[in-house]
Every structure is written in C-alpha cells, then in structure tokens.
Amino acid sequence: MDHNQLNDIFVRQLTLSGVHEGETVSVLSRGDERADYADAFLFAAQELGANTFHLRLPSARGGSGAWAVGDSGLGTNPVAVEALKQTDMLIDLTFLLFSKEQFAIQDAGTRILTVVEPAPLLARLMPTPELRERVEIGAELLSKASSMRITSPQGTNVTYKLGLYPTLSEYGYTDTPGRWDHWPAAFVFTGGTDDGVDGTIVLSPGDVLLPFNTYVQTPVKLTIEKGFVTDIRGGLDADLLSSYIKSFDDPRGYGMSHVGWGLDERAHWHGLTQFPGGMGMELRSFYGNVMFSIGPNNELGGPNDTPCHFDIPMRGCSLFLDDEPIVAGGELVVPEMRPAGRR
Ligand code: FE
C-alpha cells in the first residue's frame, strides 16, 4: 500500500477514534518495525489538528520471539511510560497487550489502539459505527449472563460460570478515555470464574490455532476440569498443542482464559491463507466464530499472567447464555447482532 493510501486509511481510523484539535496522540514503535505506519499516523493526527509525537524504543535484545506477550520493552523505561500516560491516545505499533505498562497507561486515562496487522487487512476491515453497535449489543448480552455453554456436532460440550470478570468488546477503534482496542477486530469476550469451567471441547478440522497460525487438520479432544485443561488427545495437532504448552513448564499455561464470539461478516475464515504472518485478528473476528483461549486472564483482571497463550476460533459451534441461544451452528441468532442484510 502506498503512502497516500496509508495516510488516507489512518485519517479515517483516527476520525472514528475521535481525535480532534487540542488532543495529543503518541505513536509507539520498536526498532525498525512499522516505520511506515508511524509516519502515516503522525500525518493523520496532525491532519485532524492534534499534537503528536513518535516514541521509538530499541529492538528487543536477542530479537523478538513469536508472541512474546507481556514483554513490552517499557518495563525498565519509566520515563517513556510517563510520557505516554500524558497523551490522550496512544497508537501502539509494538503489541503492548498483557504488559503491566499497558494497564498503567490505560489507568491514566489514555486510550490505546494497537495496530500491527498488514495494511491491506486494515483497509478491508476498516471499522464502522454500525459494526461497533452490533458488537456492543453482544457485549451487553454477555455482561448480564451468569453461564455460557458451547456445543458442537463434533462433541464439544463445555460450561463456563460467568460473573467474576468483566466483558470486553473489540470493534477496531476507540474514542473512550482509558479504553483499549485492536484494529481490526469485531468480537466480544469475558472469562469463566477461576475454577468454573468444565466439560469437553473437540477441535475440528478448520478450527484455528493462534499463535501457530495453522488450521487444525485432525480432531483434538480437550478435557476441562475446574478451569484447567487436564487432558489433550488426538493426532498430530494434539501433540503439537501439548508439546508447546509443556515447553513453558508452567501449570498456569493450562488455565482457561477468555471466551466469546465474532461478528464481522467481512472477515474471512480462510484469512490465514492470505496473511499467514499476521496476528490472526481476522480469524478472531469472523462472523459466527466461537473463540476460546488458554493461558493468561490478567487482561480481564485475573491472576494468571503466564506467557503461554492460545486463541482458538472455532467454526460451526453453538453458544448459549443462560440457556438462551446466541450462536447456532456458526450463525448469530440475535437479529440485532446480524448485519443489516441478514436480519
Ligand atoms: Fe487471547
């Protein structure tokens, strides 16, 4: 994507995010990553009359691993953190999520937007107020529920006790002080109580393993007891999943984390075939997917901050809140959560 196009979509993004005259927008990057995004965000913020600056951190020592969640590069840099806290909006080009510093910056009232996906995907999944509204309707329903059950024809039957953790929404922009979002995104999630997830999840061919960025090829049967995965059975995919979690040598890597569903009809389930190296936001967002997660729940305010983390969007599942159907076989049941053409 050329400079002009990038400038154009970033102006549209910051307009949605409510950037205006008198605000200060900071842009955070690391090493030589996403220098083009940094330039375009500086342009866009200035275009909208805001003050803006770019804070560039050195690259991670020894290079950054895939998904080294929690290591922000800001941990030993309190002066930089203080500067970012002073701004109204932070554009995070580094993936700060799960770091203590991200939470501290949000607590100071700074809204944060993470932008790390490929530019063509950002353009195609440009957020809209209409999509935000549908996501927020989902979040409202989820926040009132006290239990969630997920089933699938392949044998998934798992129940989450809800109520302890907040419900979060992601719709790809943020105009609310202290709120974080990630572009692109369109999904809602919460977490089960720490010992309140029990049952079986059967992953089917085509379900997605993030951060492997692969599609499951052979069924994987996960047994879940009191909030932890206690058994993983199946073929090669089960072995890879087990081996990866085991390598962290951390029992909290088996903890059940966030759970919810996706709403963006423009997001493709086959997205990994187009952007195999991205973060998988398209896969988290595709319409009617049910996504569960294993690993840290500190994002929701929980105690688990293990660096071992899976997000697993699944196709064709049904999801019930307090026994009311919300997703049925991969289709959203509630008309207000469907796009206008599908009501
Ligand atoms: Fe996750």
Side-chain angles (χ1 to χ4, degrees):
M1 187 172 288
D2 76 17
H3 284 314
N4 292 337
Q5 287 170 307
L6 207 53
N7 287 347
D8 177 55
I9 64 167
F10 286 7
V11 168
R12 284 164 65 194
Q13 164 59 247
L14 292 191
T15 304
L16 282 166
S17 288
V19 170
H20 58 82
E21 219 174 302
E23 282 201 319
T24 299
V25 176
S26 52
V27 180
L28 178 70
S29 75
R30 204 166 179 182
D32 57 5
E33 283 179 343
R34 303 184 186 91
D36 53 341
Y37 285 18
D39 282 347
F41 271 116
L42 291 173
F43 170 87
Q46 201 171 33
E47 194 71 5
L48 295 172
N51 288 316
T52 186
F53 65 86
H54 178 192
L55 199 158
R56 180 179 165 201
L57 296 170
S59 342
R61 284 228 169 108
S64 55
W67 257 36
V69 297
D71 166 31
S72 68
L74 285 173
T76 52
N77 212 333
V79 176
V81 175
E82 284 311 310
L84 299 174
K85 279 182 180 175
Q86 299 293 318
T87 65
D88 298 288
M89 181 168 187
L90 163 61
I91 303 296
D92 165 31
L93 304 178
T94 72
F95 201 72
L96 285 177
L97 187 59
F98 304 111
S99 66
K100 286 200 277 297
E101 296 74 38
Q102 165 155 344
F103 300 129
I105 293 164
Q106 284 179 256
D107 286 345
T110 304
R111 61 193 192 275
I112 303 180
L113 184 74
T114 297
V115 186
V116 294
E117 289 279 18
L121 188 63
L122 299 177
R124 181 154 61 73
L125 300 183
M126 176 62 72
T128 68
E130 183 267 338
L131 185 57
R132 172 186 183 168
E133 199 178 309
R134 292 195 281 127
V135 168
E136 287 184 331
I137 286 166
E140 174 81 16
L141 286 170
L142 183 52
S143 68
K144 287 182 187 151
S146 55
S147 78
M148 177 191 291
R149 195 161 74 95
I150 301 167
T151 64
S152 76
Q154 291 78 15
T156 296
N157 191 349
V158 64
T159 303
Y160 288 72
K161 281 184 200 142
L162 306 180
L164 178 62
Y165 294 118
T167 292
L168 298 186
S169 58
E170 293 185 28
Y171 46 81
Y173 66 98
T174 186
D175 59 6
T176 310
R179 184 178 174 278
W180 169 77
D181 210 317
H182 193 165
W183 177 27
F187 54 92
V188 297
F189 60 98
T190 185
T193 57
D194 295 335
D195 60 356
V197 190
D198 291 276
T200 303
I201 294 177
V202 181
L203 305 182
S204 302
D207 292 344
V208 183
L209 296 173
L210 305 169
F212 287 176
N213 288 14
T214 55
Y215 294 100
V216 169
Q217 308 283 329
T218 53
V220 179
K221 185 178 175 191
L222 299 131
T223 304
I224 297 126
E225 295 171 286
K226 293 189 181 350
F228 284 85
V229 176
T230 54
D231 192 49
I232 302 175
R233 256 161 229 261
L236 177 61
D237 290 302
D239 290 349
L240 288 168
L241 193 63
S242 292
S243 174
Y244 181 83
I245 300 175
K246 214 172 175 181
S247 73
F248 284 81
D249 196 21
D250 181 352
R252 300 171 310 156
Y254 295 93
M256 294 298 283
S257 177
H258 58 85
V259 64
W261 64 90
L263 294 98
D264 194 343
E265 70 287 357
R266 304 167 306 172
H268 299 315
W269 159 70
H270 65 264
L272 285 178
T273 61
Q274 285 172 288
F275 301 110
M279 288 283 306
M281 292 307 288
E282 180 165 27
L283 286 305
R284 291 176 176 84
S285 302
F286 76 83
Y287 182 83
N289 88 75
V290 169
M291 179 170 74
F292 79 102
S293 171
I294 307 172
N297 66 359
N298 56 337
E299 179 190 4
L300 293 161
N304 189 345
D305 65 352
T306 179
C308 179
H309 184 191
F310 273 96
D311 282 355
I312 306 180
M314 302 182 291
R315 293 189 300 165
C317 289
S318 298
L319 184 150
F320 304 82
L321 294 177
D322 298 331
D323 297 325
E324 288 293 320
I326 302 296
V327 183
E331 177 63 59
L332 299 183
V333 176
V334 180
E336 294 75 23
M337 285 197 296
R338 295 181 178 183
R342 288 208 207 186
R343 285 180 193 170

